[in-house]
Amino acid sequence: MNPTITSIGILTSGGDAPGMNAAIRAIVRTAIYFDIKVFGIKHGYHGLIHNQIERMRSHDVAAIIQRGGTILKTARSKEFMTDEGMQIAYNNIKNQGIDALVVIGGDGSFRGATEFAKKFGIHIVGLPGTIDNDIYGTDVTIGYDTALNTIIDAVDKIRDTASSHDRMFFIEVMGRDAGFLTLRAGIACGAEAILIPEVDSDINKFIEFLENGFRRKKSSNIILVAEGEKAGGAFEVVKKLQPYLTGYDVRVSILGHIQRGGSPTAYDRYIATKMGTEAVKALLQGNTGIMIGIQNDKTIYVPLEKAIKIHKTIDTSELEIINIMNV
Ligand code: F6P
C-alpha cells in the first residue's frame, strides 16, 4: 500500500462512452472499500479548473451501472492545456487534498493527464474509455462493445428495407481516425464491403467489385463506411463513386451519435468494473503514469506514454473475412 494516497479524484473526458458510469461506480466503491476518500470532478478538465469537485459516497453511484453516458459529464478543455489552466487545476485539487486522479477517456485525455502529472507530480491512472477502440495497449476500450451492438441493431434494420427495395446502402459508422468499429461491425452484420481509413486502396477495390458485376449477385448491398475514411465519409464516397453506381438504387445513412448512447452491454459493464477496481488498487500500490488495459481477459498496466504515442493497428487479415463472406 502507498500511504501517500489518501484521496482520489475521478474525471471523464473527451467523447462519452457507455460503461463510463460502471467504471465510476467501481472506482468510488473500491476507494471506499480501502478507506480512501473519493471525489468526482464534473465536466472533465474544465471542472478541474472551475472547481467542480464533489465528494462521492457509495450511494452516489447506486443504480448507475446500467446507464449510458457519464454522470460526471464530460468536456474538451483547451484551457487545461495552458500553463495557467494547469496551475489553477492543481491548486484546486490540492485544496481538496486530492493526491491522485483516475482519468477515463481517450488518448487526448491521457495526453493532458500525462502533462499534468509531469508538471505537478500528481499520481495518474488512465482507463481507456471511447467507443472507437483506438487506444494502444488494450484489446478493448470501454464502450466499444456497446457501440458495436448498437451499430449491428441499426444495420439489421436498414438491411430489411434495403432488401425490400433492392437498394445499395452506404452506412456511415463513427470513427474519426480509426476503422475498428466499421471492421468488426462489418463482419458481424454481414456487410458486402467496408471502407476504412487504414486501407488506402479501399475505394479502388470497391470499384473493382462494382465492375465485376457485384450487383448481379445480390439484391441488396450494405457498405459500411468509417467516418474517417479518406474520401471524407459516406456522402463523399458516394459522390466519388457516382460514375460506377448507375443502375444501383443508392441511399446513404449516417448512424451518428446514437452509437455513443445507450445502456452498456454486459461485457462493457464487466470490463469497466474490472478496470475501475484495478485502477484504485494500482494507485494504492504506488503505480502512476499507467493505463489499465485488458489483454486476453486480464487487466494489465500499460505506460501512458506508450498508450499515447503508439498507434493501435487494425488486424487487416480480418478484412479478408469480409471478402470471403461475399464469395
Ligand atoms: O467518441 C469518439 C467519437 O465518437 C469519434 O468516432 C467521433 O468522430 C467523435 O467522437 C465525435 O465526437 P463529437 O461529436 O463529440 O465531436
Side-chain angles (χ1 to χ4, degrees), residues 220-282:
S220 69
N221 294 295
I222 299 289
I223 294 93
L224 295 192
V225 182
E227 176 192 4
E229 204 283 330
K230 296 220 169 59
F235 279 108
E236 293 307 313
V237 164
V238 169
K239 247 192 235 162
K240 205 166 171 182
L241 291 173
Q242 209 63 62
Y244 309 92
L245 291 173
T246 46
Y248 292 95
D249 189 6
V250 174
R251 292 291 184 278
V252 174
S253 187
I254 313 282
L255 297 187
H257 286 76
I258 59 160
Q259 295 163 95
R260 283 231 299 249
S263 182
T265 57
Y267 186 68
D268 271 330
R269 298 178 197 200
Y270 165 72
I271 60 162
T273 305
K274 200 163 150 130
M275 291 193 215
T277 304
E278 195 61 44
V280 177
K281 287 187 178 172

Side-chain angles (χ1 to χ4, degrees), residues 140-287:
V140 281
T141 54
I142 296 166
Y144 176 54
D145 185 63
T146 307
L148 276 176
N149 281 285
T150 302
I151 295 165
I152 286 155
D153 181 56
V155 174
D156 286 350
K157 286 173 177 147
I158 293 174
R159 173 84 75 179
D160 288 343
T161 178
S163 75
S164 302
H165 287 264
D166 293 340
R167 278 177 174 158
M168 174 179 276
F169 266 85
F170 287 81
I171 303 174
E172 189 177 296
V173 170
M174 267 188 170
R176 189 164 26 207
D177 309 304
F180 292 96
L181 280 170
T182 303
L183 175 56
R184 206 142 288 181
I187 293 172
C189 72
E192 275 67 30
I194 66 159
L195 301 170
I196 56 175
E198 289 84 351
V199 184
D200 266 343
S201 58
D202 260 7
I203 290 239
N204 294 335
K205 278 218 190 91
F206 188 63
I207 290 170
E208 255 174 59
F209 265 140
L210 294 170
E211 287 176 344
N212 289 341
F214 184 43
R215 173 163 56 112
R216 281 193 293 275
K217 291 194 209 153
K218 312 262 178 169
S219 60
S220 69
N221 294 295
I222 299 289
I223 294 93
L224 295 192
V225 182
E227 176 192 4
E229 204 283 330
K230 296 220 169 59
F235 279 108
E236 293 307 313
V237 164
V238 169
K239 247 192 235 162
K240 205 166 171 182
L241 291 173
Q242 209 63 62
Y244 309 92
L245 291 173
T246 46
Y248 292 95
D249 189 6
V250 174
R251 292 291 184 278
V252 174
S253 187
I254 313 282
L255 297 187
H257 286 76
I258 59 160
Q259 295 163 95
R260 283 231 299 249
S263 182
T265 57
Y267 186 68
D268 271 330
R269 298 178 197 200
Y270 165 72
I271 60 162
T273 305
K274 200 163 150 130
M275 291 193 215
T277 304
E278 195 61 44
V280 177
K281 287 187 178 172
L283 282 169
L284 295 183
Q285 282 156 13
N287 295 285

Side-chain angles (χ1 to χ4, degrees), residues 11 25 69 76 90 97 104 115-116 125 143 146 162 177 204 232-234 254 292:
L11 63 85
R25 171 180 174 269
R76 296 185 171 104
Y90 176 71
I104 312 169
E115 276 292 297
F116 195 52
V125 169
T146 307
D177 309 304
N204 294 335
I254 313 282
I292 309 294

Side-chain angles (χ1 to χ4, degrees), residues 44-55:
Y45 296 120
H46 175 86
L48 214 51
I49 295 171
H50 297 276
N51 215 8
Q52 298 170 357
I53 305 173
E54 278 167 29
R55 182 84 186 265

